[in-house]
Amino acid sequence: MYQLFKPSLHAQRHDFVVDFVRRNKPKKVVDLGCGECGLLGRLRFNHQIALLIGVDLNGAKLRKKMHGLAPLSADYLQPTFDQLCVQLYQGSVTQKDARFRGFDLVTSIELIEHLRLDDLEPFTNVVFGYMVPQTVIISTPNSEFNPLFPGLSGFRHSDHKFEWTRMEFQSWALNVCSEFGYMVEFTGVGQAPPGQEQRIGFCTQIGVFHRLMVDRVGPMFGDNAENNYPYTLVYSVTYPSLCDDNILRRILVSELLFCAEKLKKEWLEKLTDKLEEVNAVEKDETGGECGEIFWSNCQEPQCHNLHRHVSVALQLLCTCCPKLRELSRSLSNLRRLIVDDPQIKMNRERSAVILCCLEQGDEEPNDLTDSGYAERSHVEEENWEITC
Ligand code: SAM
């Protein structure tokens, strides 16, 4: 069809929903008649949405587009504490499915005009009488705008079963409101040419329905008594989140090792001169080996046995590394998460991580617990909690 708008009308409809979501922050959203999943693809970037679902009659269309909803590399590399699950279902909006109750927002963008007129009532019953969401956004063409499309005769699309005037849409919407306890605001996208806005209205008319009785859905929420699940799950993906302990552990361990190695390197550089002095003294006294570096309470290096390990207190790591502090939230949580990780070696009290000072290719040290420093590594930090 001739394109009258820039950005396209399609983009403007999705912009409208994305903007609504940004302002109203729904957590559970269903897009009915999601088609090519374009709106879902944009909504997944809204951090507050935890469950994002698309429903369409056309399963082949969903299968073709579903991979576009998969997490991006950045979602794996830099996960956040946001939680998001995206699902696609094949099914008809004229059927009730018990999994779709209690949502914050249901969108139906350019769907209803594809329904046969006798399917409109079941659709209305399903959405407003059964799903009973907090908000419903419905868009549909405004037929009064059609004369402005050059060469258009009939409907805008061959699959449209009807196209309503503003009066027809508004009268249907107001009936829905009085039957199901909603109020509606009318708006639209796709401005008519200057001077004709009032006479013609928006190219796409939109109704934003708000549920009036907030507790109406209460007893029904999560009530699957009917065991009615006619929709078929086509795709489901859970985005990586730091709320998942395995993911949090992976990120924490790599951050911790990075910080600890950095501290070790800085300290070693600073203390080279001092060590040389200490070693010289020890050599005089013992005639023996150089010392092992050990920081007992985050500040003072101590020398022990073989010069092979550095012990870095968790408390110090959290103090020096804000990201580690933010991720772990408390010292005990940090310890709990890293203690069994095979990349992490800890002292006996689990108050410090132990790093090797050997360069690659050097001989491996003996068993750490035999080196005698573990007892000396106790740090008074058991009740220490970090406030983020
Ligand atoms: N909402 C999408 C968007 O904004 O890009 C596209 C809507 S497309 C014009 C209409 C969609 O409604 C089609 O993908 C079609 O398969 C779907 N559809 C038609 N009848 C349906 C029904 N009874 N239940 C679910 N989806 C239906």
Side-chain angles (χ1 to χ4, degrees):
M1 195 171 62
Y2 185 83
Q3 186 168 336
L4 281 182
F5 299 100
K6 222 173 179 180
S8 71
L9 204 53
H10 181 255
Q12 288 190 45
R13 286 190 288 259
H14 291 183
D15 287 346
F16 179 88
V17 177
V18 168
D19 186 53
F20 179 91
V21 164
R22 206 171 283 142
R23 283 184 286 109
N24 292 278
K25 307 196 185 319
K27 286 190 166 48
K28 295 170 70 179
V29 179
V30 189
D31 185 27
L32 300 178
C34 60
E36 314 267 317
C37 305
L39 180 56
L40 297 171
R42 291 186 59 188
L43 289 178
R44 74 191 160 131
F45 295 114
N46 277 269
H47 300 291
Q48 80 288 340
I49 297 180
L51 181 58
L52 182 60
I53 293 186
V55 176
D56 204 283
L57 197 55
N58 189 333
K61 208 187 258 186
L62 296 180
R63 274 181 274 275
K64 194 170 162 199
K65 294 290 175 180
M66 63 189 190
H67 298 296
L69 297 173
L72 308 171
S73 316
D75 295 315
Y76 289 104
L77 293 172
Q78 292 183 315
T80 65
F81 281 100
D82 297 338
Q83 289 177 287
L84 173 63
C85 176
V86 179
Q87 296 180 332
L88 295 177
Y89 287 85
Q90 177 182 11
S92 173
V93 293
T94 55
Q95 286 188 290
K96 297 170 181 169
D97 187 302
R99 289 166 291 195
F100 290 84
R101 284 170 159 180
F103 275 69
D104 300 308
L105 174 64
V106 169
T107 56
S108 160
I109 305 301
E110 305 300 275
L111 164 68
I112 58 171
E113 64 277 8
H114 292 267
L115 301 178
R116 294 194 319 262
L117 272 171
D118 56 357
D119 276 341
L120 207 54
E121 193 180 329
F123 164 81
T124 311
N125 287 335
V126 167
V127 174
F128 294 93
Y130 185 77
M131 296 172 77
V132 203
Q134 197 90 40
T135 307
V136 184
I137 298 179
I138 294 184
S139 85
T140 192
N142 165 19
S143 64
E144 293 166 79
F145 201 99
N146 287 357
L148 296 190
F149 285 107
L152 176 69
S153 62
F155 294 146
R156 294 183 197 175
H157 190 280
S158 56
D159 189 54
H160 286 182
K161 310 299 187 297
F162 59 89
E163 286 178 358
W164 278 336
T165 62
R166 283 173 290 174
M167 184 76 91
E168 287 168 322
F169 178 53
Q170 290 176 16
S171 129
W172 170 81
L174 291 170
N175 280 337
V176 166
C177 287
S178 68
E179 186 173 352
F180 296 102
Y182 280 77
M183 59 154 283
V184 61
E185 298 166 72
F186 296 107
T187 178
V189 294
Q191 287 275 3
Q196 300 188 59
E197 296 95 336
Q198 289 291 332
R199 188 176 63 80
I200 291 177
F202 291 105
C203 188
T204 292
Q205 46 188 342
I206 297 175
V208 181
F209 299 76
H210 303 279
R211 200 175 76 221
L212 293 176
M213 287 184 293
V214 173
D215 59 353
R216 185 183 158 144
V217 78
M220 297 199 304
F221 181 77
D223 169 15
N224 294 339
E226 291 171 60
N227 283 338
N228 201 20
Y229 309 122
Y231 297 179
T232 306
L233 180 65
V234 170
Y235 180 71
S236 178
V237 62
T238 301
Y239 275 54
S241 164
L242 293 170
C243 294
D244 175 337
D245 268 2
N246 289 326
I247 292 170
L248 180 57
R249 180 176 298 114
R250 174 172 62 78
I251 301 288
L252 267 181
V253 164
S254 83
E255 193 66 26
L256 182 143
L257 288 175
F258 175 79
C259 293
E261 286 290 345
K262 193 161 161 256
L263 283 176
K264 180 188 85 176
K265 188 164 172 278
E266 285 169 9
W267 288 344
L268 286 176
E269 280 168 7
K270 271 191 203 157
L271 290 166
T272 301
D273 293 344
K274 193 172 174 185
L275 267 176
E276 277 170 6
E277 283 170 29
V278 171
N279 288 341
V281 171
E282 280 206 347
K283 201 164 188 176
D284 280 352
E285 286 173 356
T286 64
E289 300 289 337
C290 62
E292 175 172 343
I293 314 160
F294 172 65
W295 282 265
S296 65
N297 62 359
C298 322
Q299 299 296 331
E300 293 299 317
Q302 295 177 0
C303 302
H304 299 281
N305 306 335
L306 301 170
H307 183 181
R308 281 172 168 171
H309 295 103
V310 173
S311 170
V312 188
L314 296 184
Q315 189 175 21
L316 176 64
L317 278 165
C318 285
T319 308
C320 296
C321 177
K323 187 169 176 198
L324 199 61
R325 193 164 63 230
E326 188 190 328
L327 289 171
S328 54
R329 290 166 185 230
S330 76
L331 194 56
S332 51
N333 198 34
L334 174 63
R335 184 184 297 109
R336 177 183 70 80
L337 285 160
I338 63 169
V339 73
D340 292 325
D341 191 281
Q343 295 178 75
I344 301 280
K345 287 192 173 86
M346 297 188 82
N347 62 351
R348 216 174 271 161
E349 289 78 9
R350 297 176 172 174
S351 59
V353 291
I354 294 158
L355 303 176
C356 188
C357 287
L358 295 174
E359 294 297 325
Q360 261 193 346
D362 287 350
E363 197 189 328
E364 269 298 304
N366 296 328
D367 183 1
L368 295 172
T369 54
D370 292 341
S371 62
Y373 56 70
E375 284 79 359
R376 283 169 251 211
S377 63
H378 181 67
V379 185
E380 296 293 334
E381 39 75 324
E382 279 306 320
N383 297 323
W384 186 83
E385 295 283 318
I386 298 161
T387 46
C388 301

